[in-house]
Amino acid sequence: MERRRSWPVLCLALSLMHLSIASGELRYSVPEEQKPGSVVGNIARDLGLSAMRSAERKLQVMSESNAQYFEVNPNGVLIIRETIDRERICALSSACSLHLQILLENPLEIQRVLVQIDDVNDNAPQFPNVNSSLEISEAAAPGTRFRLESARDPDVGSNSLRTYSLSSSDYFVLNVETKSDGSKFPELVLEKAVDREAQAAFSLLLTAVDGGQPEKSGTTLLLIKILDVNDNAPVFDEPVKRVSLLENSPPGTLVTKLNATDVDSGINGKISYLFSKYTPERILKMFSVDSKSGEIRVVGDVDYEEANVYDITVQARDGGSPAMEGSCNIKVEIIDVNDNTPEVTLTSLTSPIQEDAETGTVIALISAKDLDSRDNGKVTLRVSPGLPFKLKSAFGEHYTLVTDGRLDREVIDEYTVVVTATDSGSPPLSSQKTFAVRLSDVNDNAPVFSQNSYSVDVAENNAPGTPIVTVLASDPDVGDNARLSYSILPTTIHGSPISSYVYINPENGNIFTMRSLDYEQMNAFKIEVQVRDAGTPPLTSDVTVHVFVVDQNDNPPVILYPTHSEDEGLRLTVPHGAPVGHRVNKIVAVDPDSGHNAWLFYSIAPGDDSSLFHIEPHTGELRTAQKLMDDEQGGKTHPAYNFIVVVRDNGQPALSTSVSVTVTIEEKSPDKSTDFRITPHKGTGMTDVTLYLIISLGCVTLVSLLTMVVLLVRCIRHKGGSMCCYSRTGFRSRHSYQQRAHKDLHLQLNTDGPIRYMEVVGGPQEPHTRTYRPCYSTLSSRSDFVFVKTPMLSHNNTLNMTLTRKHLMNSANEVRAYSSPQPIRFFTVESH
């Protein structure tokens, strides 16, 4: 590109300067297709310059064309820079050369160089198309000539196209002609007449050869097609054809397909089908023939009763000129078929019907008919299986649909009935009639509660109007038959109507309290709820709701023993010289509450004399903590000791009761003590009274043991090995407890282990109380717990009682109790 841009500048410089330009020019020749670097000639030597001198004068070569095919090496030798294609540079010109300019400096000099490009046989003859098509009529006469396409060879001279040759053939030969310019072209000569029906095409190979050494050649395939002449008439495969056709075949039904052939080709062999011009009009209205495919199809209504056979003539005509024809006779026989389906008519229908309709109730009237005759017109009806209905023939072709089973709207509220009518044809035809039978509801289902019974816990001291439970019932009926209302059956609780305790919303079954409940008055009651639908007649269902009142710590403890007046308090005495630990008395208190709320703890309030006494926190036993002194020994100015005993329950928050206690010292031996038991203390002397007491206790113990043995034997005989019987005097250890009092009160308990603590939960406290002492197995610790509670029997003489397990621990001759939250089961007290 730099040389191209510098060339005009160089020409301008030469025009302004006196240059030395040689009068002659250098000539070189070089064959085309030489590789780059091939030597063309030694320019430096031909100009009389040495290699060094040519380098000093900066020998350069420039082409007059755009392409730079040559260059000069440092030695001044002209070499090929780019491969030269003579055919691309000079095309078909016989002479081909390139002009170059040689530029020398010091002094500036230009030398003209002519390089002649010699042709080499580097191209083979080539036909315009790989395949050449030629059409020849089968009527062409021998000797007819057909001009063929010439091949092209871009080489010149002896390397150009020299001659043609043709592959051998019995029908064709090749003739090569030469034009005035020396070029040659081929001609195909028909040597023998051809017959298209015998051979419709020929394939010949035409070859063009050049004169190069070695010679090269090119080929083309001659595809010779023989054109047809209409010299053959169409021919049907079956000149006479017999076919069958079902009556009532729909339009478009294929009757038959004809096939005719013509050995000619092209338009001479193209066949079209048509009815004969003598075909009757009724056939033309009944059938059609496709001119191209030869298919005969139905276009009218084929009825066996109108015609049972048709004779049709169809012609096949080719497209030659003149046209040639062939004909075929078709006999179409019509086959009678069962072509009418039965018809089902629903004359009347009763819907809906009541679900309690009796068997045999008429639901619908149905009729059937078939337009066919004989067996094809005989119709039978059937109803879809699995339905509680059946068909009964009334008269002729009329039927009645009646119930044939029990109906239940809650199971199926609507039936889809399908009646099928079938004739006796071959094959039989059938039709269906579908209709729906709906069932209307009757009140045949009573409401059903979601639960067999309900149990609910309600805390005592509740506010009136507190919701306690919702009872829910459902009714599978519909409408008014499923519209429910709730009510509470009238009954009494402790002489008061239940309506004064609870109220129920009749629409949604929500139960509310009408008053505040008191556990101590009533710990459980039941409500009989009735639900009623709005059907005719209405149906009802009842359910029992068990309401358990949950105790709250709303009652303080009550001191029952020893009896005392609120103004004076307790007045107790101790014998003169009572030792430390002497049992003064036992304070017994109860709490109307139950459970943890009824667990009691005894204590002495701080005071001047409180340190002189000690009370067991769980049993209430009051004992001396120090030796008491009378007036003479201690110089005491008052004759009694005063302190306050506090009884506290275990509720949250805890409630308590206190009583003032005055203890005086008596000089004489005490009368019969009101104590439950006198416990001797170690280190004290044994007085006569004490001796009498020991003897009495021994006798009582012996009698008790004999009694317990007798009762145990009776229990074993009566119960078959029962391990504990309960009496008014005590217990015998076993997992079953019984109590027999004056009224033959029976108590039974089942537990999983030794009993440490028992609590009887009953009704409100009464003046006359019963004391129950637990008995233990040999593995249990002793306890002096006493439970005083009057059980209240329910209306069926059965009392539910709660038992709580307490574990006891003995330490330093002290009985302490701690509770376990695990409940031990339930037992009942029955009055016999």
Side-chain angles (χ1 to χ4, degrees), residues 465-469 486-488 498-515 525 527 529:
T466 301
I468 58 176
V469 70
Y486 301 87
S487 62
I488 296 177
I498 194 171
S499 59
S500 63
Y501 285 87
V502 292
Y503 162 77
I504 189 169
N505 187 320
E507 295 181 356
N508 55 27
N510 292 335
I511 300 178
F512 305 88
T513 59
M514 296 291 291
R515 63 167 65 177
F525 63 94
I527 308 170
V529 178

Side-chain angles (χ1 to χ4, degrees), residues 777-829:
S777 67
T778 56
L779 300 178
S780 64
S781 302
R782 291 191 67 250
S783 172
D784 288 331
F785 281 121
V786 176
F787 304 95
V788 179
K789 186 80 68 161
T790 299
M792 181 187 69
L793 300 181
S794 61
H795 65 278
N796 59 356
N797 294 332
T798 300
L799 173 64
N800 291 328
M801 312 182 77
T802 305
L803 184 66
T804 306
R805 186 187 301 273
K806 278 224 167 189
H807 303 279
L808 303 180
M809 300 175 60
N810 291 327
S811 175
N813 295 326
E814 229 174 76
V815 179
R816 295 189 180 182
Y818 64 94
S819 64
S820 169
Q822 300 176 353
I824 304 181
R825 298 189 182 177
F826 295 88
F827 60 90
T828 61
V829 176

Side-chain angles (χ1 to χ4, degrees), residues 613-634:
F613 298 92
H614 169 74
I615 189 169
E616 289 294 330
H618 300 293
T619 63
E621 287 187 351
L622 181 64
R623 296 180 183 270
T624 58
Q626 299 179 17
K627 187 174 181 180
L628 304 179
M629 296 182 181
D630 55 14
D631 295 339
E632 297 177 357
Q633 293 174 340

Side-chain angles (χ1 to χ4, degrees), residues 35 100 140 151 231 251 259 334 359 394 401 433 591 593 769 807 813:
K35 296 181 179 179
L100 305 176
D231 53 353
N259 184 44
I334 307 302
T359 301
L401 181 69
K433 182 69 174 181
D591 193 321
D593 296 323
T769 62
H807 303 279
N813 295 326

